[in-house]
Amino acid sequence: MCTSDLLCVTNRTLCREDFPVRIEKIAACHPAGIILREKDLEPAAYEELAKEVMEICDRHGVRCILHSFYDAAVNLQAEALHMPLHLLRELSPEQRSRFPVLGASCHSREDAMEAQALGCTYITAGHVFETDCKKGLPGRGLAFLREVCAAAGIPVYGIGGITAENAASVREAGAAGICLMSSLMTAENVAERMKAMEEPNEIR
């Protein structure tokens, strides 16, 4: 059973090496999951990439969470899917119920409550801090995160600008865990970066 509270979110355009090699290194560190967020791909290309990433994750016993591409998730018999809320709304109850693990990206307390009502088993909430991924947009802050965590009856993962220096404050705000994207795509040493982000007491 994985004791990490880190969700790794991919962005292959930031990757400093062959993308599958980077995924292998991340999976070898056993995060709580890897969210394959490559929304710019055409559906067929995403499905091909997802198949490869799922195989890597399977070898390491790590959950692979597909992102946005419902049809690819069904075709590959994925157990986990993450959707932007506007796309999640378009799925029928039957479609949503296909996935034992269902997540959504939320940006407010209301979003979180809607995602839960739509059957999500977890959500991401952000962006918490200022981040290069959202240049020019201030972070929503820890008060926002506390509000979402208090309202949600499902695990909340903070996302956006989270570093080793502020990770503890995200957990203290009530988050079940944290999401990492840019830092893991660009880190020279993936294992060291992930270790720096773990809680001092690794078993949650």
Side-chain angles (χ1 to χ4, degrees), residues 14-31:
L14 299 177
C15 199
R16 292 183 175 177
E17 62 187 334
D18 184 59
F19 185 62
V21 171
R22 178 58 50 128
I23 294 297
E24 189 88 45
K25 290 178 180 179
I26 294 172
C29 295
H30 297 97

Side-chain angles (χ1 to χ4, degrees), residues 104-109 111 123-129 131 134 138-141 144-145 148 156-162 179:
S105 304
C106 296
H107 305 100
S108 68
R109 175 180 179 274
D111 283 358
I123 61 170
T124 60
H127 59 288
V128 179
F129 303 110
T131 171
K134 304 281 188 181
R140 291 184 168 88
F144 150 80
L145 183 61
V148 170
V156 177
Y157 288 79
I159 189 170
I162 300 174
C179 297

Side-chain angles (χ1 to χ4, degrees), residues 74-86:
V74 171
N75 293 341
L76 295 173
Q77 298 181 320
E79 293 188 351
L81 178 66
H82 188 101
M83 299 289 273
L85 194 55
H86 72 277

Side-chain angles (χ1 to χ4, degrees), residues 12-110:
R12 75 192 190 289
T13 63
L14 299 177
C15 199
R16 292 183 175 177
E17 62 187 334
D18 184 59
F19 185 62
V21 171
R22 178 58 50 128
I23 294 297
E24 189 88 45
K25 290 178 180 179
I26 294 172
C29 295
H30 297 97
I34 296 176
I35 300 177
L36 186 63
R37 184 185 182 274
E38 304 297 334
K39 298 193 294 184
D40 63 303
L41 290 175
E42 293 297 319
Y46 181 88
E47 186 170 333
E48 183 177 351
L49 179 63
K51 182 178 180 181
E52 183 175 11
V53 172
M54 287 174 69
E55 289 172 352
I56 294 171
C57 289
D58 282 347
R59 287 201 302 272
H60 291 278
V62 172
R63 173 170 287 144
C64 182
I65 305 171
L66 302 193
H67 191 295
S68 295
F69 291 88
Y70 171 82
D71 289 340
V74 171
N75 293 341
L76 295 173
Q77 298 181 320
E79 293 188 351
L81 178 66
H82 188 101
M83 299 289 273
L85 194 55
H86 72 277
L87 293 181
L88 184 66
R89 294 185 188 115
E90 296 176 2
L91 299 182
S92 69
E94 292 74 23
Q95 289 174 315
R96 297 194 300 269
S97 68
R98 294 181 69 112
F99 302 96
V101 176
L102 183 64
S105 304
C106 296
H107 305 100
S108 68
R109 175 180 179 274
E110 291 73 25

